[in-house]
Each structure stands twice: as structure tokens, then as C-alpha cells.
Amino acid sequence: MDKQVFNIMNLDLYYGKFQALKNINLIIEKNKVTALIGPSGCGKSTFLRVLNRMNDLIDDCHISGEVYFHQEDIYREKFDVIDLRTRVGMVFQKPNPFPMNIYDNVAYGPRCQGIKDKDELDKIVDNALKSAALYDEVSNRLKESALSLSGGQQQRLCIARAIAMEPEVILMDEPTSALDPIATLKIEELINDLKEKYTIIIVTHSMQQAARISDNTAFFLTGEIVEMDLTNKIFTTPKNQKTEDYITGRFG
Amino acid sequence: MSMLNKRKRIDFLYQGITYFASSISLIALAMIFYFVWSNGSGLLNLDLITKDYHAQYYNGELDENSPFSTMERPIELDENVFYSEKYGLGVSDGIDREGNPIILVVYVSSDSPLRKMQDRNSEQIISLEEDMLISKVSFNDKATALRTFGAKYMIDELDSAVDFREMVFTSIGGGIRGSIITTLYLIGMTMLVALPIGVFTAIYLNEFAKKNRMTNILRILVDTLSGVPSIIYGLMGLAVFVPLTIRTTSATSGNLISGSLTLAIILLPVIIKSTEESLKVVPDGLRQASLALGANETQTTFKVVLPSSIPGILTASLLGIGRIIGESAALIFAIGTAVKDDISITGKSTSLAVHIWSMMTDEPANIELSSTIAVIILMIVLILNIVVKFISKKLMKPLA
Amino acid sequence: MQNRKKFITELDALNNKVLDMGKEIVLSFENVLSACKTMNVSLANEIILHDKFINDIEVSINVDAYLLIAKQCPVATDLRRVITALKIATDLERIGDYAVNISKYIIKTKHDNSQYIKSIIKLLEYFLKMIRGIMDAVSKDNIELALQINELDEKLDNEYKNEVKNLIKVGKTKSEEEVEEAMRALLVFKQIERAGDHVTNIAENIVYLVNGKRVELN
């Protein structure tokens, strides 16, 4: 039963009067990589932000339906959003390290939760950097500005920063779209390693990326999920003609 | 062909207008610099900045025990300096800013008895120094040597008499030390009030305030305030802050506190605006990243957003300091125009800009000293600008 | 950090499946050989069953290769390796079918075939040498070895032609039963000859894999 991390039922989302998501029903499995694909403006990023309630930041955004995170409706009243976000981490499209040193970047989340003990923080930072496959590259310059790192390193630092919170789920919003191909491969490799410990949901513009790294794929089109299946099936024998058209590049 | 020619002509016309406009502004700026520099550079020296404005009067008599000895004329003294070997004193003729003759002390030997005179008013030891002015020397047995008789006459009289009854001399005065200190006080006290209030207001407006009508009205108010002429702030300072400080402190009239508070109000819109601008350019990605890590809004604002906007806030403060240095109209009411040498925060005094104003309203107007102060103000503003550029470049780099 | 660890692991797995399939084929033919020597019907039945297993491997190689192409977009050597694996698997599957056909021959033979079985065994032994060699070449990506094995095919073809000549003579003089046996033996010879041709195909594929060049051997 607890193989389900998220269970989304009949989710509708509106920006003002515009309906961005229509009747989404989806189950996110534990320790799997779920890819959300679809053309621009199809609602996949919006959907991703439903899962850690980042849409709260948008003033006229409101939703209906239920989003369960381990049997807990995260949109019920008085739900602790801060707690949710410590358990559901997020990595953004553009690498966005804070303008501080590498160590402080990774320690930021734990510090915000009130962890002050130096040894404990050291341990968290080391582990997070190791998990993000960045430790070897930065261990001797933790006090340097995070902005001195390359784009790929910055993005892995952002992943390390998310990992430092020891979340269950990591949401990734097109994490490689601002990176060069080699840095992209490294991130993909990292995602493959991370799925042993974390549940990963990734929005990607690259169908090939979805194919390479995900276990499950959901295809979004104009705010609806057209097809959701094993990645192996979606990319060899999709059931829906629209999916077929999109992944073969015949769309539109 | 003619089409092409027409296009070329229009092109030439428009470009010509821009060249013309920019050369006009360049010439205007250059002329300001030329004017203040040519008028003011003559007085520009360290004494001006360190000396008092008001001349100090001294009334000295010779100490009975002072030994007399013959002191030779130093060879470096100019030809037109009149020298007394008896007193080791060299003086020359001069004309003050009002056109009156003066006697300027050029040299006083270190062994001279004039170095250790008795003050007739206070029993203190006073000393005649170089660059002081001698007004008159009175003798016991003959007529007083006034400055109007000239330097030669005075030296001759001094040498021919046994001793003298009284020597009246004054420090040169006209220094702007007091105004500089007042300006520094104003900068410190104003920023102390305006910076925290301005920055926190900007944070509220940009980070926490809901985007509703109230916030909009507040913003419009801030914008309007920045357009109000500063003389109106001065009136407010006179009507509100001056009585307030008189009631709550030992002040009896316009003072540094009321001046600083008035300036703080003038600066608020400036600081709020530029802080808000610098908060706006902090990438939203940083806020989102922080929130997504489970930080709350306060943590996000103070740990991520504010540090990122420090260059902007710094720029705002330095621009504010520039405004403080340059402000005159408001201060005339809020602090007064009395040029002072002893500065207290509850007393009257003037900033550099008001110093100019008060000297230009004197009769006759002291254009030379005003220009010198203007040069100093221009230099301070220039240095501030360079510092602003440098710091923002340095601090902005990691944000790029 | 090695990039594309997952892809490389999957590609290696695919390659190993092909080698495993080769081993199973060799095993099949070893069994065919011993079954021929004693005309062991039950062993022949086993070989037919074993072929189902070999076919399953081929299907699984196909699925893996399709997924690799669909999901990982292999290029250059990686692409050639996937394509080669697919083709070699197809060849091996055909070779497996020939083992089945020969087994059926063993099962269905009712008359005396002692004069042909000796030649069949000789050709089978010869083919075994080829299939072992070519699988060795596959496992080592070794063009030279592959070309050496390819040379052997010529000899196998010649043997086959001689046998056919002999068999044609049978048709003119012998009884109906003898002719039937001869025809059936001819089919077996043909099977082995075809199997040899597939070994040649595999050799071509090794060249393609390593050099990226298409060669026509024989």
C-alpha cells in the first residue's frame, strides 16, 4: 500500500479563470523515476508544483480535487506546508545556488530547520555532496562561492541542497535544460543513482531524457494526462495516437 | 536614388541632434567645474578644512621674565617681509577679503618672546603663530601702531620701543571645519534613522505586502514624496521636528537632531525606491529555491533576498549621503544658518551646502570661499560616485 | 564519474545474451552430433524442446535491442553493437532451427542410413568447429578470427557439393527405399551447409561491428 507516495484524484487547477489542469488522476510510485512529458504549456510544470504547493505563491491560483501524500491530503486546511516542503524537495530549471559559499548553500535547509551543531551540519553537507556526486570536485573548496562552479556543478549543488533535507521525494523541473550535453548526462546518471533512496518526479522537454532515465512516463496535453504507463511501453507501443504523434515528433 | 538620399539626410539630422544635445550638456558640466575650480581652488588647502570659521581674538602682553636676544633674519624670508631681530618676527602687508589692509605674520622665531605671551583677559599663555593677523600694538610711551599704518611702520615701532603694553592679534578664521563636522553628523544621524526604516519599508512593500489597493496607494505615496520640493520638507521640519526637539531635548532652536530627522524624511522615498528596485532584481528563483527547501518567508527574505540586494541598498545609501551633502533648502529651516565652530547635536550649526548659502547671502558675497566649498562638495560627490560604481560592480558580480 | 553507466550495463547485458545464445546453439549441435552417432531419438526430442528455449532468448534479445534503441538512442559503435546483436541473434536462431530439422531427421529415419551417417557426422563435426570459432570471435570482437572461420565455410561447401554428387548417383541405380534415405540425407547435408552460410553472416556482422564496413563474404 505504501508503495504509493502521491495519489492524485480528480485534480483541477485554475489560474484565475483559466483551467491549467483538468481532472488529473495519477499515482506516483515509491523509488521510481516518473517523467512528465508534453509540449510547452501543457501543465506539466504546474502539476509538479502542485506536489510541494509551490503554486501557493501565485495569487489567483486555486485547485479542486485531492492530492494525497501518504494518505494525507496536502491541500486540506491548516496543512503544514513547510513540513511538506522539507519532505518533498525541488530542483529548478535554472541552477539557482544562493550567492553564498558552497557549504552554506547545502547547509541552508538544515539551518532553516534550526540545526546549529557544527559537526552535525558538517556530516549533512558531506553526505549530501557525496550523494550528489559533487564531493570529489568541491571538497577542497567548500568556502568558495557557489557561483564559481560550472553550470552542471551548480545544478548538482542544487540537488545536494535538496538532498541535505533528506526528503522522500525530489521534484525536478527540467533540471538539465540549461546545461550542456555532458553535464546533462552527469545529472541523468545521478538521477539513476538517486532513485534507490528517493522517489523522483521529473518534468522534461526532452523525450529522449524521459526515455533514458524514467520508469514511468505521463504524457500531458493541454492540461490533461493523455497517457500514463511504463516508460518501456510509452516509448515502444503507446496506446494513444496523440502520444504516438508527440513522441515520434509528428505532433502539431 | 532620391529615396536613399532622403533617408541619409534624416539619418544625419537625427544623429546631429543627439551630438548637439550631448555636447551642450557636456559643456554645461565642464563650465560648472571650471567656474568653481577657477574661483575656489586658490583657497583650497588643509587649513581651510581644519580651521575654525570665526576668527579668534587674542590680547597679549609680554611676560616680564622673557629674555630678549637677537634673532637673525632667516634667509628664506621674502624681500617684502619686514623683520624685527629683537622679536624674531617677520610680517608682511596684505588685503583681506573686504579690501582692508592687514598685517600678516609670516615668521615667528621659536625663541621669540612672542611665543609666550600673557593673555590679558585670562592669565593664560598665548602664542603668536604664523598666518595670524596683528591688528595693533600699543606701547606705554608712544602712539599705538595700527594695522592701517602698514607692516614696516609696525616693525620700526617695535624695534625702537623698549617693550609694548599690548599686542592684539587674531587667528585668520574662515575655516569650514565646523560645517564639515556638522555634515558628517548629519550623514550619520540621518542614515541611522532613514536606512533601517527605508529598507524595512521596501522589504514590506516588495516581499510581504499583498498586491492590493492599500499597497498601491502606499507606493503612490512614496513616489509622490520623492517629487515634493525639499523646501516643503524644511517647513515640516520647522513645524514638527524643531518644536519636538525643543520640547524633548536641551535644544532651544533648530538643531542637528531636527535637521537629521527632516533629512531622513527626504531620504525615505529615495531609499525605499532604490531598495525596492534592488529587491526586484533578486531572481525569483532564489526565493523559490529557499521556500522549496522548507524555509519560511521571513527566513527567505532575511537569509537569501536581503543579502543578495545589499549592493543595491549600498548604492541607495551612498546616493542618500550625496543628497544629504547637497541639501540646503530644507536645512535652512530645520537646522538654521548659523555657521558654528563648536558643534553639539542640540545646537545650531550648518552643513557645507548651507554654509555656501549663508556666505552668499552675506554682504558682500564671498564667492571665493563659496566656490572652494563647492569644490569640496563636488569632490566628495565624485568620490562617492566612484565608490558606488566600484562597490556595486564588485558585489553585483556574483549575482550575474 | 562514468557517464551513461546504466546504458553501458544494458548494452553489456545484451551482448552477453547473444553469447549465451551462442553457447546454447553449440550445446544443441553437440547433442545433435551425439544423437546422430547413436540415432538417439529421445535426445533428438530433447534438442527440439531445447530450441524453444533458444527462441525465447532470441525474442528477449529483440525486445532488449528495441528498448535500447527507443530509449537510449545509441549512436556509432553503440548503435552497430545493438544492430549486430539483433542480426547475430537472427542467424543463431536460424542455425538453431537447422538443429531441430536434423533432430527430426533422426526421429523419422526408418531405413538403413549407415552409409550417409558417417558423412553427416563428419560435416557436423566440421560445423561445430565453425560455430565454436565464430562465437569465440563474437565474444572477442575479433575480425581475423572471424575471417579464418569464414575460410572454413568454403571447405564445408565443397564437402557438401561432393556429397550431393554422390547422392545424385544413388538416384539412378538404387531401390526406392535407398533413394528415399538418400534424399533425406541430402536434406540434412543442405541444413548443415545453410548453417555454415549463417556462420558466414555472423562473420560479416563482426566486421561491420568493428569496422563499420559492410563486406560480402563468399
Side-chain angles (χ1 to χ4, degrees):
Chain A
M1 182 60 196
D2 223 35
K3 276 195 75 182
Q4 296 178 4
V5 177
F6 278 106
N7 188 356
I8 297 99
M9 290 190 283
N10 308 321
L11 174 76
D12 291 308
L13 183 143
Y14 300 84
Y15 291 130
K17 283 187 178 136
F18 172 71
Q19 186 169 10
L21 292 174
K22 295 167 198 160
N23 194 27
I24 303 287
N25 289 283
L26 194 66
I27 288 171
I28 304 287
E29 289 175 79
K30 197 174 168 64
N31 290 26
K32 288 277 162 65
V33 178
T34 304
L36 313 179
I37 61 169
S40 297
C42 66
K44 55 193 192 303
S45 286
T46 302
F47 174 72
L48 195 73
R49 281 151 192 266
V50 165
L51 302 179
N52 67 344
R53 288 192 55 174
M54 286 299 274
N55 284 327
D56 292 10
L57 304 179
I58 298 162
D59 279 339
D60 56 352
C61 171
H62 57 277
I63 78 157
S64 66
E66 283 131 40
V67 181
Y68 288 100
F69 177 53
H70 294 302
Q71 288 96 46
E72 202 177 358
D73 186 353
I74 63 172
Y75 278 88
R76 72 177 157 79
E77 263 181 68
K78 290 183 183 167
F79 180 80
D80 185 356
V81 182
I82 302 285
D83 178 60
L84 173 73
R85 287 177 188 158
T86 65
R87 293 164 71 191
V88 181
M90 190 164 196
V91 175
F92 295 84
Q93 182 171 359
K94 215 178 140 223
N96 52 3
F98 301 130
M100 27 176 119
N101 67 39
I102 295 169
Y103 183 96
D104 289 345
N105 258 280
V106 182
Y108 179 83
R111 276 183 180 146
C112 281
Q113 297 308 312
I115 296 176
K116 289 198 178 79
D117 183 57
K118 180 90 175 59
D119 293 339
E120 197 181 344
L121 281 174
D122 284 353
K123 210 191 275 172
I124 291 173
V125 170
D126 278 10
N127 285 339
L129 287 173
K130 277 173 189 158
S131 299
L134 193 60
Y135 186 79
D136 296 338
E137 289 159 67
V138 302
S139 61
N140 55 353
R141 48 179 183 142
L142 291 176
K143 295 291 170 194
E144 276 178 39
S145 166
L147 299 150
S148 67
L149 298 174
S150 73
Q153 287 173 327
Q154 287 188 9
Q155 194 61 301
R156 275 182 281 146
L157 180 67
C158 293
I159 294 176
R161 192 171 63 183
I163 290 174
M165 298 300 298
E166 302 193 356
E168 292 167 54
V169 184
I170 302 177
L171 309 175
M172 298 189 173
D173 192 357
E174 298 179 35
T176 63
S177 62
L179 304 181
D180 66 74
I182 299 298
T184 300
L185 278 181
K186 285 193 175 164
I187 300 278
E188 289 181 3
E189 206 54 49
L190 180 58
I191 291 170
N192 196 38
D193 293 341
L194 288 177
K195 83 174 181 196
E196 283 174 25
K197 277 180 80 180
Y198 308 98
T199 304
I200 294 170
I201 306 168
I202 178 169
V203 165
T204 174
H205 262 139
S206 156
M207 283 169 282
Q208 283 318 317
Q209 184 168 68
R212 278 196 293 269
I213 61 175
S214 69
D215 301 299
N216 298 312
T217 299
F219 173 51
F220 280 72
L221 191 62
T222 57
E224 288 172 286
I225 292 185
V226 173
E227 193 168 348
M228 161 85 187
D229 210 332
L230 293 173
T231 303
N232 285 356
K233 283 195 182 156
I234 293 266
F235 281 91
T236 51
T237 47
K239 289 192 201 82
N240 193 300
Q241 187 60 38
K242 284 178 188 158
T243 316
E244 169 105 30
D245 288 349
Y246 181 70
I247 62 171
T248 55
R250 287 179 177 81
F251 184 80
Chain B
M1 190 64 199
S2 75
M3 201 44 212
L4 199 69
N5 268 335
K6 193 180 171 195
R7 218 173 76 178
K8 260 188 186 167
R9 273 205 304 279
I10 290 175
D11 194 41
F12 184 77
L13 181 70
Y14 279 94
Q15 286 202 14
I17 290 173
T18 62
Y19 291 145
F20 182 68
S22 46
S23 38
I24 294 252
S25 38
L26 194 70
I27 289 167
L29 286 173
M31 275 166 67
I32 291 175
F33 273 99
Y34 175 75
F35 176 77
V36 295
W37 184 256
S38 61
N39 278 302
S41 61
L43 283 180
L44 198 63
N45 59 39
L46 200 65
D47 281 353
L48 178 77
I49 302 174
T50 52
K51 287 275 160 62
D52 286 349
Y53 177 72
H54 295 286
Q56 193 80 40
Y57 278 85
Y58 299 101
N59 241 334
E61 64 182 357
L62 281 174
D63 191 12
E64 284 149 25
N65 306 325
S66 300
F68 278 91
S69 57
T70 305
M71 286 154 279
E72 285 201 11
R73 180 187 171 104
I75 42 170
E76 71 267 15
L77 280 188
D78 211 63
E79 277 178 8
N80 52 20
V81 173
F82 303 99
Y83 187 75
S84 151
E85 289 189 337
K86 186 178 170 189
Y87 288 97
L89 172 70
V91 293
S92 66
D93 287 314
I95 291 174
D96 74 1
R97 294 185 197 104
E98 280 86 38
N100 303 315
I102 51 171
I103 295 173
L104 182 68
V105 180
V106 180
Y107 174 78
V108 185
S109 165
S110 54
D111 301 328
S112 167
L114 300 176
R115 288 275 183 193
K116 283 185 204 128
M117 283 189 283
Q118 202 74 40
D119 190 339
R120 284 165 66 95
N121 302 328
S122 69
E123 304 295 313
Q124 277 176 330
I125 301 290
I126 53 173
S127 161
L128 182 71
E129 307 273 347
E130 283 92 347
D131 290 337
M132 283 181 164
L133 305 176
I134 299 175
S135 306
K136 62 173 185 179
V137 181
S138 317
F139 301 96
N140 295 321
D141 46 356
K142 53 181 168 180
T144 300
L146 291 174
R147 65 176 184 193
T148 42
F149 301 150
K152 185 176 186 306
Y153 177 79
M154 187 175 278
I155 289 294
D156 289 346
E157 293 294 292
L158 272 173
D159 277 343
S160 60
V162 180
D163 60 358
F164 60 84
R165 181 161 50 91
E166 176 189 48
M167 177 183 273
V168 177
F169 58 98
T170 62
S171 64
I172 208 164
I176 56 169
R177 186 181 63 91
S179 301
I180 290 179
I181 291 175
T182 302
T183 309
L184 293 179
Y185 265 118
L186 278 175
I187 290 171
M189 288 162 67
T190 307
M191 294 316 280
L192 207 66
V193 177
L195 202 60
I197 296 178
V199 167
F200 278 90
T201 309
I203 290 174
Y204 170 76
L205 283 176
N206 203 54
E207 303 291 320
F208 298 122
K210 294 234 154 47
K211 287 180 182 61
N212 55 22
R213 264 184 74 185
M214 265 311 290
T215 317
N216 273 338
I217 289 171
L218 200 56
R219 264 213 190 86
I220 291 168
L221 266 175
V222 170
D223 284 349
T224 314
L225 279 180
S226 63
V228 172
S230 56
I231 190 91
I232 293 174
Y233 287 104
L235 284 175
M236 192 200 71
L238 189 67
V240 179
F241 291 128
V242 174
L244 195 74
T245 45
I246 287 173
R247 192 163 303 166
T248 52
T249 67
S250 59
T252 53
S253 62
N255 55 68
L256 257 172
I257 300 175
S258 61
S260 299
L261 290 175
T262 311
L263 280 179
I265 302 292
I266 297 177
L267 285 198
L268 269 182
V270 179
I271 291 176
I272 292 172
K273 265 283 150 202
S274 20
T275 305
E276 238 196 309
E277 290 307 317
S278 70
L279 289 173
K280 266 182 202 151
V281 299
V282 173
D284 242 9
L286 290 184
R287 291 188 185 85
Q288 293 191 12
S290 172
L291 291 173
L293 283 167
N296 59 30
E297 278 192 41
T298 316
Q299 287 169 327
T300 302
T301 302
F302 287 95
K303 287 185 162 192
V304 173
V305 178
L306 202 56
S308 301
S309 61
I310 277 179
I313 294 171
L314 211 69
T315 312
S317 339
L318 290 172
L319 288 175
I321 293 174
R323 181 85 194 259
I324 296 170
I325 294 171
E327 185 55 58
S328 57
L331 286 178
I332 291 168
F333 291 132
I335 184 168
T337 59
V339 179
K340 292 277 180 188
D341 289 319
D342 296 320
I343 308 302
S344 102
I345 59 166
T346 52
K348 285 180 160 187
S349 54
T350 49
S351 73
L352 284 171
V354 181
H355 196 140
I356 294 182
W357 182 86
S358 84
M359 273 184 310
M360 293 305 284
T361 47
D362 270 358
E363 202 55 56
N366 190 344
I367 291 179
E368 198 181 5
L369 186 54
S370 298
S371 298
T372 311
I373 297 175
V375 169
I376 291 172
I377 290 178
L378 278 177
M379 284 199 299
I380 294 175
V381 172
L382 190 72
I383 291 168
L384 270 179
N385 267 313
I386 293 169
V387 169
V388 168
K389 285 259 157 62
F390 180 76
I391 292 178
S392 356
K393 211 174 176 183
K394 190 123 190 165
L395 290 178
M396 281 298 190
K397 203 180 276 173
L399 274 180
Chain C
M1 188 166 83
Q2 196 191 12
N3 294 324
R4 306 204 72 180
K5 245 185 300 174
K6 188 183 173 201
F7 169 59
I8 289 161
T9 320
E10 285 176 4
L11 196 59
D12 286 347
L14 179 73
N15 215 28
N16 286 334
K17 265 188 191 170
V18 174
L19 295 179
D20 285 347
M21 192 176 173
K23 280 180 197 145
E24 298 300 331
I25 293 287
V26 169
L27 182 66
S28 265
F29 271 86
E30 281 168 355
N31 287 340
V32 169
L33 186 63
S34 37
C36 280
K37 280 174 180 164
T38 57
M39 293 306 281
N40 184 339
V41 173
S42 69
L43 186 54
N45 276 321
E46 251 176 60
I47 293 163
I48 293 168
L49 280 178
H50 185 234
D51 188 57
K52 296 238 162 39
F53 176 59
I54 292 173
N55 286 351
D56 287 347
I57 300 181
E58 197 234 348
V59 169
S60 131
I61 288 173
N62 281 348
V63 170
D64 287 0
Y66 294 154
L67 281 178
L68 268 177
I69 293 171
K71 291 170 68 180
Q72 304 286 0
C73 278
V75 291
T77 319
D78 293 341
L79 177 62
R80 294 209 299 275
R81 189 169 289 284
V82 177
I83 301 271
T84 313
L86 264 178
K87 293 197 151 198
I88 293 178
T90 312
D91 283 324
L92 288 176
E93 193 268 340
R94 297 297 304 164
I95 294 173
D97 288 349
Y98 299 140
V100 170
N101 291 345
I102 299 171
S103 302
K104 282 179 183 163
Y105 164 78
I106 293 170
I107 295 165
K108 286 180 183 164
T109 300
K110 295 181 191 84
H111 311 289
D112 176 39
N113 66 346
S114 52
Q115 53 174 325
Y116 309 119
I117 203 75
K118 224 170 150 190
S119 304
I120 290 175
I121 287 169
K122 194 177 95 188
L123 284 187
L124 273 177
E125 277 172 344
Y126 197 77
F127 173 75
L128 256 172
K129 200 170 144 196
M130 287 174 68
I131 186 78
R132 283 196 187 112
I134 203 70
M135 288 319 294
D136 194 27
V138 169
S139 72
K140 292 170 182 157
D141 293 342
N142 188 332
I143 295 187
E144 277 161 37
L145 190 56
L147 292 178
Q148 277 171 29
I149 301 298
N150 183 55
E151 298 290 309
L152 297 180
D153 188 50
E154 215 166 306
K155 239 174 119 191
L156 184 68
D157 284 354
N158 290 338
E159 293 279 344
Y160 165 74
K161 278 171 195 157
N162 287 337
E163 295 299 332
V164 172
K165 268 180 207 156
N166 293 338
L167 287 172
I168 288 170
K169 289 174 200 155
V170 173
K172 290 169 182 162
T173 55
K174 298 293 163 68
S175 71
E176 200 173 307
E177 279 164 12
E178 277 171 319
V179 172
E180 188 193 327
E181 266 325 304
M183 293 297 284
R184 295 170 67 85
L186 175 65
L187 287 174
V188 173
F189 288 134
K190 181 70 191 166
Q191 301 292 311
I192 300 172
E193 189 269 339
R194 288 298 305 146
D197 289 346
H198 283 288
V199 170
T200 305
N201 285 348
I202 294 175
E204 284 173 3
N205 278 314
I206 293 172
V207 174
Y208 173 67
L209 170 66
V210 178
N211 281 346
K213 283 181 189 143
R214 279 259 162 242
V215 288
E216 198 62 46
L217 300 172
N218 282 0

